[in-house]
Structures are given as C-alpha cells and as structure tokens.
Amino acid sequence: MKALEEKINNEGRVLSGDILKVDNFLNHQIDPIFMNEIGKEFAKLFKNENITKILTVESSGIAPAVLTGLQMNVPVVFARKHKSLTLNDNIYSSDVYSYTKQTNNKISINKRYIDENDNVLIIDDFLANGQAVLGLLDIANQAGANAKNVGIVIEKSFQKGHELITQKGIKLESLARIASLNDGKVTFE
Ligand code: G4P
Ligand code: NA
Ligand code: NA
C-alpha cells in the first residue's frame, strides 16, 4: 500500500534493535482517517473470503481491526492479555512469547465470542516473529472456527513470522513489507 509506505517514510523512526516506531499514527496517536483507508484495503483484499468475524490482540491491533470490521460489516473481537494464570472455564487461552519484549503473555477470548460457525480474519498492527498471530490461530482452532486469513499493517519480513504463517497454508496480506531496518533506514521489499 503506497500511502502506508509514504507514511512510514515520513513519520516512522528506526530505533536500535530493529524496531520501527510509528507512534504518530498507529501505536500511540491514531490517525482515524488513514486507519479507515487501511480498513478499506483489508476489506478489498479479503472480500471473497466470507469472513464472519475479525480477531486481534489488545491494544495496538484494535484500531486497524475495528476499521476493517466497519468496512466488512462484521464484529471485531480482541484477545485480552494478562500475565497471571487465570483458571476459567469460559475462556480459550494461549501463551504468547514476545521475542521483541522478552515477555510471556497469556491471551484469551471468552467462549461466547467465537465458535465453530465463525470464519475469522486475524488483523494485527505488526508482524515480527508471528507469535501473536499463532496464539490467535490456536484460540480459533480450540473454538473449532475456520481461520485461513491474516492481514497485517506492517510486516518485518526479515523476521520469522511471515514464513511461520504462510507455511500453514494461510493467506497472509501485509500492507507494508519491510526488508530491512539497517543503518536507521527503512527498506521495503
Ligand atoms: P510477534 O507477535 O510477531 O512475535 O511479535 P513480537 O512478540 O516480536 O512483538 C511484541 C510486541 O512488539 C507486539 O506488540 C508487536 O506488535 C510489537 N512490535 C514488534 N516489532 C515492532 C516494531 O518494529 N515496531 C513497533 N512499534 N512494534 C513492534 P504488543 O506487545 O502486542 O503490544 P501492543 O502495542 O499491541 O500493546
Ligand atoms: Na504493538
Ligand atoms: Na500488536
């Protein structure tokens, strides 16, 4: 998505450790008009997939997920993160390890909000090592839902996530694909 690449070039900053900071429009301040364009793009890319529900993880996935849900006219469910172990019969949960933050989170979704009649589209802001998406796929699987589609705003293609997801036969659409963040410079694929 050309406009996204321009936005990243104009407003993104590369930090040490291969981190792209996009707090200006995605991760802290949100540009709703631009986010709506992202929603339109995902709606177009997945229009033939008969999606019934969008899944994401709090917090930064929520904005692109909601604008996509608005465009596709389907509900949006965000998995909640919590560090402590919660024994609860009413939730599906999965452990997600973050290589970037070196933290372990349990993500969970109430059983009321996903079931075997759902055909889910997973949306997230970043794809790095793919662990958040794998956790959502695990939850969809526990619920007996169909989950064959993933939409990512910014993919760091030099990390493992892309390969881990596509090798499962999933349709992965990333609106910006970053080949490298070397020398403080963003290079797109
Ligand atoms: P993974 O799910 O692909 O394995 O990602 P990873 O654990 O490596 O990343 C953990 C968190 O860091 C995620 O946010 C992810 O979106 C974010 N992240 C990874 N790389 C970048 C980057 O280059 N720039 C920015 N801005 N974020 C990055 P999270 O912990 O789920 O936090 P939240 O922001 O959604 O609350
Ligand atoms: Na994030
Ligand atoms: Na995220």
Side-chain angles (χ1 to χ4, degrees):
M1 186 180 175
K2 195 101 189 90
L4 175 59
E5 290 187 1
E6 279 169 15
K7 197 109 169 147
I8 291 168
N9 279 331
N10 294 334
E11 300 178 23
R13 282 183 303 127
V14 179
L15 306 189
S16 64
D18 281 336
I19 295 292
L20 174 67
K21 200 93 174 146
V22 283
D23 277 6
N24 197 39
F25 66 95
L26 184 58
N27 291 132
H28 195 8
Q29 172 170 265
I30 291 166
D31 179 337
I33 295 173
F34 185 68
M35 209 54 77
N36 200 32
E37 295 306 310
I38 284 180
K40 286 179 191 167
E41 191 71 17
F42 281 134
K44 194 165 77 186
L45 290 165
F46 294 103
K47 70 172 188 293
N48 296 326
E49 305 295 337
N50 300 313
I51 300 302
T52 65
K53 189 164 286 181
I54 291 172
L55 294 193
T56 189
V57 185
E58 66 175 346
S59 54
S60 300
I62 295 175
V66 167
L67 275 303
T68 306
L70 178 67
Q71 294 297 332
M72 299 184 85
N73 194 24
V74 295
V76 178
V77 178
F78 63 91
R80 291 187 163 153
K81 287 177 191 160
H82 45 100
K83 286 198 168 93
S84 65
L85 190 100
T86 311
L87 289 174
N88 185 336
D89 284 346
N90 299 321
I91 60 173
Y92 298 114
S93 61
S94 189
D95 286 312
V96 174
Y97 178 73
S98 166
Y99 292 96
T100 304
K101 295 185 175 173
Q102 302 202 340
T103 55
N104 221 325
N105 281 296
K106 197 175 276 290
I107 63 168
S108 61
I109 293 180
N110 194 296
K111 290 181 178 175
R112 189 182 293 147
Y113 301 122
I114 179 168
D115 65 31
E116 67 277 5
N117 297 315
D118 283 316
N119 182 19
V120 306
L121 166 61
I122 292 170
I123 296 284
D124 211 353
D125 57 335
F126 269 90
L127 176 63
N129 294 292
Q131 299 305 299
V133 170
L134 292 179
L136 289 170
L137 287 169
D138 179 29
I139 286 175
N141 193 45
Q142 290 174 47
N146 193 43
K148 291 276 178 296
N149 295 280
V150 174
I152 298 292
V153 181
I154 302 174
E155 173 186 303
K156 297 199 289 185
S157 307
F158 55 90
Q159 293 183 312
K160 292 195 194 75
H162 182 98
E163 174 68 20
L164 285 174
I165 293 164
T166 52
Q167 75 186 11
K168 289 178 176 292
I170 283 168
K171 171 171 164 174
L172 170 64
E173 296 284 357
S174 301
L175 302 186
R177 299 192 65 208
I178 293 175
S180 102
L181 292 171
N182 293 342
D183 306 319
K185 193 173 149 289
V186 181
T187 307
F188 294 102
E189 289 267 307

